[in-house]
Amino acid sequence: SLLIGLGVLFLLGQLVDFGSWRYLWPTIVIAVGGVFFAGMFAGGKSAAGLAIPGSLITMIGLILLFQNATGRWESWSYGWTLILVGAGLGVSIMGWRREDPAQRQSGLRAAGVGAVLFVIFGSLFELPGGLFGARGAAQIVFPVLLIGLGLYLVARRSGQWTGGQPRAEAAPPPAT
């Protein structure tokens, strides 16, 4: 019956000029994400995994709502990074629901990576003189930032920035 209801809504959107239809259909996507969250709360700790699809679907709905409201469809060139934020938030919420601090922190780190990528790619596409705009400082700054990040990761792995101790590698599983 949910599919029939959605079909009727979409058909009405094609036949009748709803001024707010462009806001309504992304709201439906957001509501579907909310259904996953409702299932997570109704199902207890065992249903905590529903936070991940709930967060992903809700984030996609929010992106679509923004794009419909502004007509800025080109924002997909960097807006996809918000899906990483949504996934990280879903993992973090799942960790919160399961009372697992390590999982909660892992999700927050993933969401942070997505947020940083959003800022980097957003600035490359949106700022005047960005990498994909007119020739500007970003065409030099971005490669320098990549080199710096690479050097930091190499130094961190070698122990230069971890108190002199190289980062421990994951031990291989024992042979059976």
Side-chain angles (χ1 to χ4, degrees):
S1 63
L2 177 66
L3 293 177
I4 295 169
L6 286 174
V8 168
L9 280 175
F10 289 129
L11 181 61
L12 283 174
Q14 296 298 318
L15 299 175
V16 179
D17 184 23
F18 289 116
S20 62
W21 179 250
R22 68 180 182 170
Y23 302 109
L24 180 61
W25 77 266
T27 306
I28 294 170
V29 176
I30 294 168
V32 170
V35 169
F36 279 90
F37 281 115
M40 176 193 76
F41 284 111
K45 287 183 182 182
S46 64
L50 293 174
I52 296 172
S55 293
L56 287 169
I57 294 168
T58 301
M59 183 62 76
I60 291 169
L62 290 170
I63 294 167
L64 292 171
L65 181 62
F66 166 79
Q67 291 175 332
N68 271 293
T70 63
R72 303 279 319 271
W73 294 98
E74 71 278 3
S75 64
W76 269 120
S77 61
Y78 56 92
W80 61 268
T81 58
L82 292 175
I83 296 172
L84 299 174
V85 173
L89 290 175
V91 170
S92 184
I93 293 168
M94 181 174 66
W96 164 76
R97 188 76 171 133
R98 289 183 177 167
E99 299 175 2
D100 183 347
Q103 190 172 50
R104 191 170 54 240
Q105 287 300 316
S106 175
L108 289 176
R109 280 193 301 275
V113 168
V116 167
L117 290 173
F118 178 77
V119 169
I120 290 171
F121 290 135
S123 66
L124 292 175
F125 283 99
E126 295 291 339
L127 291 179
L131 184 64
F132 300 105
R135 189 148 185 86
Q139 290 180 310
I140 295 170
V141 172
F142 183 66
V144 169
L145 288 174
L146 285 177
I147 292 168
L149 178 61
L151 290 172
Y152 165 75
L153 292 174
V154 168
R156 185 173 171 201
R157 178 159 227 111
S158 69
Q160 295 296 319
W161 288 342
T162 57
Q165 300 296 320
R167 292 190 64 188
E169 298 292 326
T176 54

